[in-house]
Amino acid sequence: MPMQVLVVEDDDRIRTVLRLALEDEGYRVAEAADTPTALELARAELPDLMMVDLMLGEVDGYTCIREVRRMSDIPIVIVSARSDTHDIVAGLEAGADDYVTKPFQVKEITARLRALRRRLRTSADATEPDIVLDRDSEHYLVLSTARGAAVLDGQDVPLTVTEYRLLAELAQPTGRVLSRPSLLESVWEHGYYGDERIVDVHIRRLRTKIERDPGKPQIVVTVRGMGYRLDPR
């Protein structure tokens, strides 16, 4: 069955353009013009991907993304006229995986979604051995590539697809220092020209889920002036 995209956009013209372009790419499309409708459809339709505008009237896109994240780890792309770095970072910190600013090229939208689909497939197909990230008996953390998950004390950590891919990339092999540009290219796919700070936002989100003390990270370590390194404990 074709993958379904939920498009959350209050501008009827833009929503129609996106629907037609996505249907041409073979997606099934559900549409919502506001956050309450989007949340109803997210629960009822269980879409594979979401595209969310940030300006949605009374209940904005940030709230929409946060509420979806409470029930699902599906990939979410922001599509918004807000191009200020603060707005973009706030959207990513709410739980989005990627962003596209308006005005946009339809080909850019479809390329981003294809990249997200590849992330989904590669996460599901991974078969490398498990990697122990923290051996502490009260914080035993394993990266299970066979399951496509991080497991903390026997429970799956609720990582998004992008967070998982970021962690898996840092782990191949552990100990390498990876720059922001190299992580953008490998995790967000070739041809991504977005702000490198998208990496920092996702690293912060990842740390809140896997570190004993996110304020003093010891697993995903910053190497000043170079990038990030994974240090299993």
Side-chain angles (χ1 to χ4, degrees), residues 79-203:
V79 182
S80 177
R82 293 185 177 180
S83 57
D84 183 79
T85 297
H86 172 77
D87 293 318
I88 293 167
V89 169
L92 294 170
E93 289 183 335
D97 295 274
D98 202 351
Y99 70 86
V100 177
T101 55
K102 299 175 184 176
F104 57 81
Q105 296 292 325
V106 170
K107 288 192 293 187
E108 180 184 10
I109 296 286
T110 55
R112 296 293 180 88
L113 291 183
R114 282 196 294 271
L116 283 169
R117 290 179 67 173
R118 285 194 292 271
R119 282 183 234 172
L120 286 167
R121 286 198 300 269
T122 54
S123 297
D125 295 343
T127 56
E128 297 294 323
D130 289 355
I131 300 170
V132 178
L133 301 179
D134 194 336
R135 298 179 183 277
D136 186 273
S137 60
E138 296 182 1
H139 194 92
Y140 192 77
L141 179 67
V142 174
L143 176 63
S144 175
T145 58
R147 295 177 55 193
V151 182
L152 177 62
D153 296 331
Q155 300 294 318
D156 285 0
V157 179
L159 300 181
T160 66
V161 172
T162 301
E163 290 163 355
Y164 171 80
R165 281 290 304 275
L166 187 57
L167 184 59
E169 185 64 27
L170 287 166
Q172 300 302 321
T174 59
R176 291 180 305 161
V177 178
L178 294 178
S179 67
R180 291 171 180 83
S182 68
L183 287 168
L184 274 175
E185 183 174 340
S186 57
V187 175
W188 278 265
E189 300 290 344
H190 297 285
Y192 184 89
Y193 301 105
D195 193 320
E196 291 180 6
R197 280 169 288 191
I198 191 174
V199 176
D200 300 331
V201 174
H202 282 81
I203 289 288

Side-chain angles (χ1 to χ4, degrees), residues 1-5 26-29 48-49 116-117 120-121:
M1 181 178 294
M3 298 186 81
Q4 183 178 62
V5 181
Y27 294 99
R28 293 180 296 123
V29 181
D48 301 291
L49 304 160
L116 283 169
R117 290 179 67 173
L120 286 167
R121 286 198 300 269

Side-chain angles (χ1 to χ4, degrees), residues 45-61:
E45 300 288 336
L46 302 176
D48 301 291
L49 304 160
M50 280 186 70
M51 304 181 68
V52 181
D53 186 16
L54 293 179
M55 296 181 285
L56 292 173
E58 293 185 7
V59 186
D60 62 24

